[in-house]
Amino acid sequence: MGNTGRRYVLLAVSAALIGTGLGAAPDAMAARRLPSSGCVNDLPPKNPPRGPAAAPEIRFDLPYPKLLPMQEPAPRKPIVRIPSQQPPTRDKRCVDPCPDITDPKKPKPAGATGSLDTLSLAFPKITFKPKAINIPYAVPNPHPPKTPPPPPRVNPGADAAPPAAAPRTPRVKWVRWVSTLTGKGSTSRTDKRWQINGTDLGIMWEAKPGKIAVAFGDTFGEGFRPPGANGGDWRSNVIGFSSDDKLADGMSIDTMIQDKRCHAVQVIDARGVKYYEQTNIPTSGFAIGDRQFMTYMSVNSWGDIPGTWLTNYGGLAYSDDEGSTWTRAPHLRWDNVFGASQFQVASMVPEGDYVYLFGTPNSRLGSVGLARVRKDDVLNKTAYQYWRDGRWIPSRDANAASVLFGGPTGELSVRYNAGTKRWEMTYLDVVKGAIVLRTARKPQGTWSAPVQLVNSGQRHQLYGGFIHPWSKNRDLYFTLSQWSTYNVSLMHARVY
């Protein structure tokens, strides 16, 4: 259950609770609104302690080339997991579980007031630092891990699939911010419980009845400072689970996959080398029976222009142990030929006998294509059919798929709404600077005109927009990322 709805109750809590971290004097709390966690100790300090001013540094990097051999296939890394820490009880939710790990170190005391330490001027420090420019190249792995053989080739044939008439454009009555999902002051205190100080995306799917999986992208711990992705303890992706079905007051994350105390672990491995495989970012997820699936994009490098990047391929990973460990399917990937291939950024949705694959090229500027595969053949690339000109056809070329509608489209989130019998799709339109919503009667469309949910004037430097699977009736809940904070919020829209 979310904690945000209880934050105003704390205004009446006695000052005697200060020692537990649950309260403060009522007059002190009345002056400042509590964060989504409902915890006074998550408020920024009014007068943060300041140490002596550090001398400004002027640094000159001295670049030099460095050849970096990369073994292929990648060496297998040891997998370390511990049981997930369970959510705290209500009376302990504001107590830091690992203060020895997550609490910031106290600054050294400044000199006495009026001393030379505080009155003297610090002279700039000029440094020259060599900086390696890695030039990665592939070399054979002398001890390659065993790879299973590819699935047998099949011929799925062709089927007629005319589009349906477009439904009317959805109407958005209002959209409101609900709570902070990640970072300092978030509903589940991700900074204190899992060292998630900065992250993005928040891709959700129903892992099993009563349990939502939520996956995040590049994640940072100690040293994170907004805006943007930065800091120490970089993990390309992390995953948690939620049973919170009362979303109106926020979304609580119960547990995350961990490798040590108070630390969420990266679940899909990545090489971590720019211009080779800089990171692996989740793009969607779904479950079939006891198996979890997660689409991801292998990012070669982030672009210099905001909202652009180059992928190596779009792939699929799966887990048979409730999301603890993941295997990248070695024979199922959509290679990015000349940087212009379809299905690099994907959203996969099971419905009926099929799983539907919606995808765009890398970055946020392309258009949407569509494919499908029978649920039993998800890991067999030869079993996929691509929607082209009113038919499902087999093809070795993913670019054979027709464009469902023109771009720009960024980071799709798609689901089938059984209540309304409509397909729903949200994505970032970078030209409008807005997260928009479209609907359709069939996955192949015809898709409605887009309607704006939230724009960058309301939420600065926004992106993402991933639908919560438990949205129902006219209530659409979705996660929203902002580069300015580099964290994730839960949003609520009323849609007709």
Side-chain angles (χ1 to χ4, degrees):
M1 179 183 294
N3 297 323
T4 308
R6 293 186 291 268
R7 57 191 173 200
Y8 294 109
V9 176
L10 292 175
L11 294 174
V13 176
S14 168
L17 291 177
I18 292 176
T20 66
L22 289 178
D27 57 341
M29 287 188 295
R32 292 192 291 175
R33 180 181 179 183
L34 292 175
S36 294
S37 63
C39 302
V40 173
N41 47 346
D42 284 336
L43 285 168
K46 287 184 177 179
N47 299 302
R50 297 177 62 183
E57 180 180 3
I58 301 174
R59 193 179 79 179
F60 295 93
D61 290 331
L62 303 176
Y64 66 93
K66 179 183 178 181
L67 295 176
L68 187 65
M70 304 295 296
Q71 290 187 1
E72 290 295 347
R76 197 176 298 277
K77 297 179 180 179
I79 296 176
V80 179
R81 297 288 186 272
I82 67 169
S84 297
Q85 294 167 221
Q86 296 302 303
T89 57
R90 182 176 178 179
D91 62 324
K92 297 290 185 181
R93 69 183 183 276
C94 291
V95 176
D96 293 350
C98 302
D100 55 316
I101 298 174
T102 61
D103 281 7
K105 296 180 177 61
K106 294 182 179 179
K108 294 180 181 179
T113 303
S115 69
L116 291 177
D117 287 339
T118 57
L119 296 178
S120 61
L121 296 176
F123 290 96
K125 180 182 179 182
I126 300 175
T127 60
F128 296 88
K129 184 177 180 180
K131 181 180 180 180
I133 305 298
N134 291 324
I135 304 175
Y137 65 98
V139 298
N141 186 341
H143 306 289
K146 291 184 179 180
T147 301
R153 180 175 290 276
V154 298
N155 182 2
D159 298 289
R168 64 168 177 79
T169 304
R171 292 173 298 191
V172 178
K173 186 174 182 180
W174 48 256
V175 179
R176 71 179 183 94
W177 175 88
V178 180
S179 65
T180 303
L181 184 60
T182 63
K184 183 175 177 59
S186 58
T187 305
S188 300
R189 308 187 79 214
T190 66
D191 57 329
K192 298 297 184 181
R193 292 177 62 192
W194 302 293
Q195 296 180 65
I196 299 176
N197 295 4
T199 191
D200 65 352
L201 304 183
I203 295 160
M204 297 168 287
W205 67 95
E206 190 171 68
K208 64 180 182 181
K211 187 175 184 178
I212 293 294
V214 53
F216 300 98
D218 284 321
T219 299
F220 299 90
E222 185 178 5
F224 167 74
R225 296 289 184 275
N230 68 86
D233 192 17
W234 170 35
R235 289 147 284 172
S236 289
N237 46 78
V238 294
I239 185 171
F241 299 94
S242 173
S243 58
D244 190 350
D245 61 356
K246 294 180 173 60
L247 302 176
D249 66 347
M251 173 182 169
S252 295
I253 300 173
D254 302 328
T255 60
M256 298 199 78
I257 303 301
Q258 298 180 223
D259 60 345
K260 52 188 176 183
R261 189 167 64 101
C262 291
H263 189 263
V265 67
Q266 177 172 305
V267 294
I268 299 180
D269 61 314
R271 306 303 289 272
V273 176
K274 190 175 183 179
Y275 304 125
Y276 196 81
E277 184 180 73
Q278 190 167 5
T279 187
N280 278 324
I281 302 297
T283 60
S284 75
F286 61 100
I288 299 178
D290 293 332
R291 174 169 281 185
Q292 305 292 310
F293 294 89
M294 192 190 308
T295 60
Y296 68 94
M297 56 180 177
S298 171
V299 177
N300 175 282
S301 54
W302 298 112
D304 294 328
I305 301 173
T308 64
W309 58 84
L310 177 66
T311 56
N312 297 307
Y313 60 86
L316 186 66
Y318 60 91
S319 171
D320 292 322
D321 56 7
E322 298 187 347
S324 180
T325 60
W326 294 78
T327 300
R328 293 202 275 176
H331 306 293
L332 186 69
R333 57 179 58 175
W334 285 265
D335 292 320
N336 195 13
V337 181
F338 302 118
S341 293
Q342 193 63 276
F343 302 105
Q344 300 303 297
V345 187
S347 181
M348 292 189 78
V349 187
E351 174 57 28
D353 296 330
Y354 289 89
V355 178
Y356 294 88
L357 168 65
F358 300 81
T360 69
N362 51 208
S363 302
R364 297 172 177 149
L365 304 174
S367 300
V368 182
L370 174 64
R372 73 173 186 177
V373 65
R374 290 192 174 274
K375 288 182 176 179
D376 293 340
D377 292 325
V378 167
L379 296 178
N380 188 341
K381 192 178 178 185
T382 65
Y384 281 71
Q385 299 171 298
Y386 299 87
W387 189 77
R388 182 178 180 86
D389 297 334
R391 301 176 70 225
W392 295 111
I393 64 167
S395 178
R396 294 185 181 182
D397 179 14
N399 284 350
S402 295
V403 171
L404 294 184
F405 53 82
T409 49
E411 294 152 327
L412 304 172
S413 177
V414 187
R415 74 159 185 160
Y416 179 70
N417 187 334
T420 62
K421 294 182 171 54
R422 293 286 188 272
W423 288 82
E424 297 171 342
M425 178 188 297
T426 57
Y427 62 90
L428 172 65
D429 184 323
V430 294
V431 172
K432 296 178 180 178
I435 304 296
V436 300
L437 167 71
R438 291 179 186 256
T439 63
R441 292 183 170 88
K442 294 182 178 180
Q444 65 267 33
T446 303
W447 286 83
S448 73
V451 62
Q452 177 181 292
L453 292 172
V454 59
N455 62 49
S456 56
Q458 299 162 315
R459 291 283 157 183
H460 191 49
Q461 295 182 317
L462 83 178
Y463 61 102
F466 296 96
I467 301 172
H468 194 298
W470 291 347
S471 300
K472 58 184 178 181
N473 300 327
R474 298 188 177 109
D475 294 305
L476 182 72
Y477 289 90
F478 60 97
T479 55
L480 182 76
S481 301
Q482 292 178 255
W483 188 254
S484 54
T485 62
Y486 198 67
N487 267 299
V488 184
S489 295
L490 181 69
M491 307 291 291
H492 178 196
R494 181 65 55 83
V495 181
Y496 290 86

